[in-house]
Amino acid sequence: MLIGIPANQQRNETRQPKDCSVEMSGYLDTIAKQRCKASFAKIFSYFAPRLRSYALKQMGNEAIAMELVQDTMSNVWQKAHLFNAEKGSPSTWIFTIARNIRFDMLRKLQNRKEDVCSDDLWPVLCEQTADTKIAPLDEQITLEQVGQYFNELPAKQQRVIEAIYIDGKSQQEVADELEIPLGTVKSRTRLALQRLKDMLREYD
Amino acid sequence: MIKHHPSESALRSFVEGALPSTKAILISAHCDMCPTCLSKTRSFTESIAVDMFPDLRQNPTILREYISMFESITNDSTLLNPSYSQTLDTRITLDGREFVLPATLARFADRIGEWSHLAGKLWHASVNIGGGSLAQFIYMDRGASVPEHTHKGNELTLVINGKFTDGGKCYESGDFIELNQQHTHMPTAENYEGCLVVTMLDMPLHFTSGWAMLINPLSQLYFKVNTNN
Ligand SMILES: [Zn+2]
């Protein structure tokens, strides 16, 4: 022990990483469940500057580095429900998101022609559709917002969106019910969400 | 037992997202089959994360230059596209035998072309990953042998199921093989049941080398890919 510094004060100065990790996990949980901005501010204030140093080192360009920070933090904000504390720490999860984004950015920047994206290699940002239901729509767009545009979707997309988001069925259940391949359900969902998103943007 | 693994530095670059797609796919598929390398990639991931985010002490407030970014992220009503991982149980049926693909390759199942006969007891199907790289499955039936050849590009191979010998070495399911232009080789599956491998070549300019030299447009449809949900 250093002379003149009380033991307990010394302990306070270096906080146990594990405690912080638990705290950060708690914030991610609140972001996922309540879209809590205050919790996101805690995560953001810590991770954003450190991500920037990492990105700057890797990409060597300020604008690209900031794009990587923004994309990573957007994913943290929107996809916090995919974080699983049993699988790893918040730091590890956020690093893997940044890594995925970097891989995809590099692919674009280097003009690599391969049709391989980070989701193919590390599905950390993929919804788990195997046995769990996919993220409820209100985490992405509110139903009220959607209501007015829903009728403008093609009938096939309407059926899929209705079954998944209103009846709460899994994509596999919808595939079985409509007797169409799972891949078709996925692409219809994706197209419908994209379309809704575009309409929201256009009319806002 | 798996005897041939990617190097530690390759595993680390894989974790960092710095490898070309072809090598990344094969390393990822190898990790699906190899618990040793899987646990190495996990510990690399954790240690890189610790290096990146060393002291988990929080910044009390958001630094000024980040405030507008914070605002735009939290106020943005547009959505990131949700992505979905394939959780399909993907099998390839070859001549009555069924092969289960490692999870990484299963995600490419919809990009596997038709199987066609090459020569002798060899069959292939290409995987359309776009770009200038060549990716393909090769099936060597019992007794198959590839003529001796040298390499002009880097060739990566992963054994999915079965055994073959090459240059006095025996390769088995899960083995990861990296050959460069110094290698001369002649893979044979002489004494074994059929062997399924997946192979990637980065420099397709040299179609006269490696597994790629076998590509022959005179193909007949023979095998079929099954994707079972
Ligand atoms: Zn290994």
Side-chain angles (χ1 to χ4, degrees):
Chain A
M1 200 200 345
L2 293 173
I3 298 162
I5 303 176
N8 56 354
Q9 188 183 329
Q10 203 180 357
R11 208 175 297 130
N12 279 346
E13 276 177 9
T14 40
R15 299 183 57 200
Q16 294 297 311
K18 216 172 177 184
D19 295 341
C20 289
S21 195
V22 170
E23 209 176 313
M24 294 284 185
S25 299
Y27 295 142
L28 286 173
D29 190 52
T30 331
I31 296 169
K33 291 190 178 132
Q34 301 160 24
R35 295 224 142 279
C36 171
K37 278 194 191 185
S39 297
F40 184 60
K42 299 267 192 193
I43 297 269
F44 186 94
S45 64
Y46 174 77
F47 285 97
R50 286 161 177 84
L51 275 168
R52 179 178 161 273
S53 334
Y54 161 82
L56 208 51
K57 223 185 291 166
Q58 302 288 349
M59 316 294 274
N61 171 303
E62 176 71 29
I64 291 172
M66 288 309 257
E67 195 184 325
L68 197 147
V69 178
Q70 174 141 8
D71 284 359
T72 305
M73 295 315 294
S74 296
N75 274 285
V76 172
W77 171 241
Q78 294 201 20
K79 300 191 175 182
H81 62 283
L82 295 174
F83 170 70
N84 180 348
E86 282 161 24
K87 285 193 183 162
S89 66
S91 301
T92 305
W93 185 62
I94 293 173
F95 157 64
T96 56
I97 295 174
R99 180 268 319 275
N100 280 21
I101 288 165
R102 178 186 171 216
F103 182 87
D104 291 337
M105 283 172 89
L106 276 178
R107 203 162 48 100
K108 245 183 260 164
L109 290 170
Q110 298 173 348
N111 207 12
R112 293 188 209 158
K113 300 268 173 16
E114 279 82 20
D115 178 27
V116 177
C117 65
S118 58
D119 288 341
D120 292 325
L121 297 165
W122 308 278
V124 280
L125 288 173
C126 292
E127 309 291 335
Q128 302 300 311
T129 53
D131 32 34
T132 51
K133 313 247 191 272
I134 73 166
L137 187 58
D138 56 21
E139 280 188 27
Q140 297 163 339
I141 322 174
T142 68
L143 278 175
E144 278 167 11
Q145 280 179 300
V146 167
Q148 51 184 321
Y149 303 123
F150 182 76
N151 293 330
E152 291 185 52
L153 290 176
K156 284 177 177 175
Q157 291 178 14
Q158 282 187 18
R159 281 189 75 182
V160 171
I161 290 292
E162 215 163 27
I164 292 173
Y165 290 106
I166 297 169
D167 304 332
K169 292 180 177 144
S170 73
Q171 295 191 318
Q172 186 60 60
E173 286 171 325
V174 178
D176 294 343
E177 202 170 69
L178 301 179
E179 295 181 346
I180 53 177
L182 181 60
T184 310
V185 176
K186 288 181 182 186
S187 57
R188 275 185 203 166
T189 312
R190 206 158 38 224
L191 285 173
L193 289 176
Q194 181 62 47
R195 195 150 175 161
L196 288 169
K197 189 173 119 180
D198 291 344
M199 287 192 282
L200 286 169
R201 196 186 289 153
E202 203 172 306
Y203 296 117
D204 266 357
Chain B
M1 205 180 102
I2 301 176
K3 285 189 294 258
H4 303 271
H5 306 267
S7 69
E8 299 245 319
S9 71
L11 288 173
R12 203 183 155 90
S13 303
F14 166 71
V15 165
E16 287 172 331
L19 290 181
S21 316
T22 46
K23 192 163 182 177
I25 293 169
L26 282 202
I27 288 187
S28 179
H30 172 80
C31 291
D32 292 334
M33 302 177 80
C34 175
T36 313
C37 289
L38 179 65
S39 90
K40 278 184 192 168
T41 58
R42 288 200 174 136
S43 61
F44 283 140
T45 307
E46 278 159 30
S47 75
I48 294 170
V50 169
D51 289 348
M52 251 171 94
F53 309 116
D55 49 338
L56 266 181
R57 242 175 293 122
Q58 292 157 33
N59 295 6
T61 52
I62 295 172
L63 301 175
R64 189 173 306 151
E65 68 254 49
Y66 291 96
I67 288 176
S68 68
M69 185 193 287
F70 179 86
E71 291 299 324
S72 87
I73 290 173
T74 51
N75 293 331
D76 192 353
S77 63
T78 60
L79 305 168
L80 299 170
N81 283 332
S83 355
Y84 304 97
S85 62
Q86 288 236 27
T87 43
L88 307 176
D89 172 20
T90 305
R91 292 149 200 275
I92 291 183
T93 308
L94 293 168
D95 207 16
R97 283 182 66 197
E98 220 175 46
F99 297 90
V100 178
L101 292 183
T104 304
L105 297 175
R107 289 195 282 272
F108 290 87
D110 54 352
R111 292 175 244 181
I112 302 174
E114 301 277 4
W115 281 86
S116 59
H117 187 211
L118 288 168
K121 297 176 171 183
L122 293 159
W123 307 83
H124 93 123
S126 58
V127 188
N128 180 15
I129 57 168
S133 299
L134 181 73
Q136 57 177 337
F137 285 94
I138 305 271
Y139 179 70
M140 306 160 83
D141 206 352
R142 189 191 180 91
S145 168
V146 179
E148 185 170 57
H149 59 273
T150 49
H151 281 261
K152 289 201 175 114
N154 267 350
E155 187 188 73
L156 304 162
T157 303
L158 177 73
V159 184
I160 294 169
N161 192 286
K163 274 186 191 179
F164 72 93
T165 49
D166 190 7
K169 284 186 185 152
C170 179
Y171 298 102
E172 295 182 39
S173 307
D175 276 335
F176 175 90
I177 308 147
E178 186 161 10
L179 294 178
N180 59 32
Q181 36 202 336
Q182 275 129 41
H183 295 88
T184 299
H185 75 154
M186 189 177 77
T188 57
E190 224 158 319
N191 303 310
Y192 308 114
E193 290 284 302
C195 180
L196 178 66
V197 305
V198 61
T199 177
M200 309 237 170
L201 187 67
D202 267 336
M203 291 160 58
L205 295 174
H206 305 286
F207 271 1
T208 52
S209 74
W211 298 108
M213 70 185 270
L214 297 166
I215 290 190
N216 179 342
L218 302 172
S219 55
Q220 63 189 96
L221 307 181
Y222 187 77
F223 297 123
K224 123 179 179 268
V225 175
N226 283 339
T227 304
N228 301 326
N229 288 350

